[in-house]
Amino acid sequence: MFTSRTEGFGRTLLEALAAGTPVVSYDIDYGPRAVIGKGGKLVSDGRVDLLANALVMGLADRHWREQASEAARQQATQYDAPHITAKWADLIAELEHCDENNAD
């Protein structure tokens, strides 16, 4: 359960997802919404009742937990070093290509 309402991109989210732990969190900007994907549940910001219900549902529903666990592991790969390195390399190549086309 990720209860922060202000910590956007929390590393703890990625650590939990990488370990295959589904995350229940408030749906806040700059973090949980972008990171969790199908690896957990998002509830309206500040709705403690919905957060508690999602947690209880997750504990009670083994099938959902298994699916969310696999999705969590997959989601976490979007933030691993090889993936991020490739994204940076693509961006640099794109910028170099733009620079070559605009050189006069």
Side-chain angles (χ1 to χ4, degrees):
M1 181 171 18
F2 187 72
T3 60
S4 176
R5 296 174 67 198
T6 58
E7 180 186 0
F9 192 87
R11 182 180 172 124
T12 55
L13 289 174
L14 289 178
E15 290 171 347
L17 295 171
T21 304
V23 177
V24 175
S25 174
Y26 290 124
D27 186 8
I28 60 171
D29 292 334
Y30 314 114
R33 185 181 310 141
V35 175
I36 293 173
K38 293 183 181 193
K41 290 268 186 197
L42 296 171
V43 300
S44 299
D45 185 16
R47 293 288 309 269
V48 176
D49 59 325
L50 296 179
L51 194 70
N53 286 342
L55 186 61
V56 169
M57 184 280 307
L59 292 171
D61 188 342
R62 180 178 176 204
H63 180 70
W64 176 83
R65 269 194 330 273
E66 289 171 352
Q67 287 185 325
S69 178
E70 181 57 34
R73 285 186 188 92
Q74 290 297 317
Q75 186 69 15
T77 64
Q78 299 301 306
Y79 299 92
D80 65 13
H83 185 81
I84 297 299
T85 301
K87 291 281 209 182
W88 276 108
D90 290 347
L91 177 61
I92 291 168
E94 182 180 330
L95 292 173
E96 287 174 340
H97 180 72
C98 288
D99 191 44
E100 290 170 359
N101 288 338
N102 292 326
D104 287 325

